[in-house]
Amino acid sequence: MVDLLSRKFHIQSSHFICLTDERATRNAIINGIQHHLIENNIERGDAMLIFYAGHGSRAAMGRRSSESLIGPLADYCASCAHIKETILYV
């Protein structure tokens, strides 16, 4: 994705943050969003793209299973044993 956007659309590499494999931890994803997107002089009307390729899950928002489902993202460290502590609710 980075290669496509930089070559085809001539977007500067400093405009990207790419977290793959062991770098895609919960903290790294949250920090990346915080520092690269929120604190990076983004102005109203600026375009942003968050590309996520990986695993996720489905979880109920409320106590009853009939309520709305959300799609949390699983980070690199997520495993079945501690999935509730590592997933990102977006």
Side-chain angles (χ1 to χ4, degrees):
M1 181 60 70
V2 171
D3 191 44
L4 170 75
L5 292 172
S6 61
R7 281 194 293 141
K8 184 168 183 164
F9 299 105
H10 309 287
I11 299 172
Q12 299 173 11
S13 61
S14 63
H15 290 195
F16 295 100
I17 182 169
C18 184
L19 302 171
T20 58
D21 299 327
E22 64 275 352
R23 292 184 60 221
T25 64
R26 183 179 196 276
N27 285 338
I29 294 168
I30 291 171
N31 287 335
I33 291 170
Q34 178 70 35
H35 298 296
H36 194 76
L37 297 179
I38 297 172
E39 297 172 1
N40 205 13
N41 297 322
I42 292 177
E43 298 177 12
R44 179 178 227 117
D46 287 350
M48 289 185 275
L49 170 68
I50 298 176
F51 178 79
Y52 176 82
H55 299 283
S57 182
R58 292 187 72 170
M61 284 181 61
R63 293 181 182 179
R64 295 179 299 219
S65 61
S66 62
E67 294 183 31
S68 298
L69 294 175
I70 57 172
L73 307 176
D75 69 351
Y76 177 79
C77 300
S79 71
C80 293
H82 66 283
I83 191 81
K84 290 185 179 182
E85 291 82 31
T86 60
I87 53 179
L88 302 169
Y89 293 95
V90 293

